[in-house]
Amino acid sequence: MDQMNNQKVTNVLIVGMTANAGGIEALMRSIVPCCDPTVVHFDFLSNEPSIAFEAEFKALGCKSYHITARRESRSKFYRELRDFFEKHAAKYDVIWENQNSAANIDYLVYAKRYGIPKRIIHCHNAKNGEGFVRGVLHALNRPALPSIATDFWTVSDESSVWFFGKDYKKLPGYHVFSNAIDVDAPRFDEAARMECRKRIGISDNSVVVLNVGRLVPQKNQSVVLACTAELARRGEDVITLVAGEGELRGELEEQAKELDIQKRVKLLGMVDNVSELYSASDVLLMPSLFEGLSIALLEAQANGIPIVTSSVIVERALVNANIVRVDAGEKSPLPWADAVENALSMGRVDGTALHGSEFDIKTQVENIQGLLTS
């Protein structure tokens, strides 16, 4: 029987996916395959021509719908949004909107207008990292959320203060939703390490620093490059890999030239299989200015690689012992380079501390399905 006609299945429309394989996309990549398709069925709605991992979701029986982005044409966006909900809203029991800000709540507005009963807004960030205009839109839209959404999810209470306001705990259906991963997927693999380093052109003796994240101000990759230059000045044979794409690519390329480290920095763009990069690298460097709850941090801990992160990371997400923290916003490369050398001296751990924790997708599946079907 068609799943859409099976009354026992809760049909969920996921919003917020992009073509960039970032944290939201990685989270959905973990959740969707683990849920029981006889209990929950997922489809996707996006304002981009494609979404990350779309072929994988299609193979699981999920449909992906695409409409014009509001920034490209407001008239087409609203026309296509209205047409979509007129045709498809009756199929869905839940809309699950995953966002880094409340700059665009039109999906929830139309979901309410066309009768989708459960409307989840899921906060994934702790501050505005999307520019001035979207920050203004977030501030304007935030007071309307309680009248539009039915459920309020967040990666942390700390993030909720900015996203929902100081009275966030009074919101209906408020739930701290721990990001979770398949803890076995990023497991350290010596063969993958050697093959990946060979493919990229990295010698066995080089120290490889890894950064995973969108190339945006929030992720603070300029510090990663400055730290690379400082490590090279200290005599380290250092190579830095940056996995991600974004608006700051040109600036980072120019910074690498100014620091004369072009040969030491490899901007890899979007990477589907980040797991092999954790194995190929020797330390993960995350100098983020703010975060919700980083998927990359969880994946790195499951791999066991030493980690240097800024102090903004919520402490409950720091499970492994080989993690060094530096004050967020520290601009000098010296403390970051010191921290990298300290982390390297700690070495890799076995990566099993996340097994069975709140960050293990296997322990979260029943909770996720319960939240979606309640």
Side-chain angles (χ1 to χ4, degrees):
M1 181 181 292
D2 188 336
Q3 284 182 323
M4 286 299 188
N5 295 322
N6 187 340
Q7 296 303 310
K8 294 181 180 179
V9 177
T10 295
N11 295 304
V12 180
L13 180 66
I14 295 174
V15 175
M17 295 279 286
T18 70
N20 191 4
I24 293 173
E25 292 76 19
L27 178 63
M28 296 305 148
R29 190 189 197 186
S30 294
I31 290 173
V32 173
C34 288
C35 286
D36 185 345
T38 67
V39 176
V40 184
H41 173 83
F42 298 97
D43 289 332
F44 299 87
L45 174 61
S46 173
N47 61 9
E48 296 197 10
S50 64
I51 61 172
F53 318 122
E54 186 162 350
E56 296 179 28
F57 294 130
K58 184 178 180 181
L60 294 169
C62 307
K63 292 182 179 179
S64 294
Y65 300 92
H66 303 278
I67 62 175
T68 301
R70 188 172 63 177
R71 64 182 177 274
E72 295 178 6
S73 172
R74 290 180 63 87
S75 61
K76 288 186 69 176
F77 169 76
Y78 285 110
R79 184 174 67 251
E80 292 173 12
L81 190 64
R82 182 196 65 224
D83 290 347
F84 173 84
F85 280 97
E86 283 183 350
K87 294 176 182 177
H88 302 290
K91 298 178 182 177
Y92 295 104
D93 307 292
V94 181
I95 182 171
W96 180 4
E97 180 159 359
N98 298 269
Q99 297 290 2
N100 290 316
S101 77
N104 186 349
I105 59 174
D106 293 314
Y107 298 96
L108 289 175
V109 170
Y110 276 73
K112 180 179 180 180
R113 183 179 301 170
Y114 286 93
I116 296 180
K118 190 178 185 74
R119 302 178 297 277
I120 303 163
I121 180 69
H122 190 163
C123 156
H124 287 269
N125 221 341
K127 289 183 181 179
N128 175 43
E130 301 180 323
F132 175 76
V133 173
R134 291 184 69 82
V136 171
L137 290 172
H138 169 81
L140 292 172
N141 287 338
R142 191 176 75 174
L145 286 173
S147 66
I148 300 168
T150 60
D151 294 74
F152 296 78
W153 295 1
T154 182
V155 293
S156 69
D157 286 332
E158 294 86 346
S159 298
S160 295
V161 176
W162 171 73
F163 203 105
F164 299 134
K166 60 183 177 63
D167 293 327
Y168 62 89
K169 287 191 176 180
K170 298 178 182 179
L171 293 168
Y174 180 76
H175 182 78
V176 178
F177 187 108
S178 292
N179 285 347
I181 62 169
D182 177 353
V183 295
D184 292 319
R187 182 182 300 172
F188 177 71
D189 185 327
E190 180 67 33
R193 173 183 175 87
M194 301 305 295
E195 193 280 329
C196 183
R197 288 171 77 110
K198 181 179 179 180
R199 186 175 69 251
I200 296 175
I202 302 172
S203 73
D204 294 344
N205 296 324
S206 294
V207 172
V208 178
V209 175
L210 174 65
N211 175 268
V212 179
R214 293 171 295 129
L215 309 185
V216 294
Q218 171 190 353
K219 302 300 183 179
N220 205 19
Q221 280 106 350
S222 61
V223 163
V224 176
L225 269 59
C227 179
T228 301
E230 173 60 21
L231 290 169
R233 189 191 67 78
R234 297 181 183 187
E236 296 279 4
D237 179 13
V238 59
I239 298 293
T240 292
L241 306 178
V242 181
E245 195 55 84
E247 64 198 57
L248 296 185
R249 185 182 185 94
E251 291 184 23
L252 294 172
E253 290 173 340
E254 187 60 32
Q255 182 185 1
K257 290 180 183 178
E258 292 174 358
L259 294 172
D260 195 25
I261 55 172
Q262 305 98 304
K263 294 182 179 179
R264 295 187 180 276
V265 175
K266 299 182 185 295
L267 302 179
L268 302 177
M270 291 187 291
V271 177
D272 281 345
N273 186 14
V274 183
S275 296
E276 65 175 13
L277 294 180
Y278 296 123
S279 291
S281 303
D282 299 296
V283 61
L284 178 76
L285 177 53
M286 289 183 57
S288 301
L289 297 174
F290 54 93
E291 283 285 351
L293 203 165
S294 169
I295 291 288
L297 176 74
L298 300 180
E299 292 174 338
Q301 290 183 91
N303 178 271
I305 186 174
I307 298 169
V308 174
T309 185
S310 68
S311 55
V312 300
I313 301 296
V314 292
E315 289 194 23
R316 82 174 203 278
L318 303 177
V319 179
N320 287 356
N322 58 345
I323 300 175
V324 182
R325 305 178 83 188
V326 178
D327 286 342
E330 175 60 66
K331 296 181 179 179
S332 169
L334 302 182
W336 294 102
D338 290 343
V340 167
E341 292 182 332
N342 186 8
L344 288 168
S345 70
M346 295 179 178
R348 200 178 291 265
V349 297
D350 64 12
T352 58
L354 265 64
H355 286 236
S357 73
E358 63 179 302
F359 308 113
D360 185 342
I361 193 65
K362 295 182 181 67
T363 67
Q364 284 278 24
V365 169
E366 187 173 343
N367 179 42
I368 292 165
Q369 294 184 165
L371 288 168
L372 290 171
T373 58
S374 63

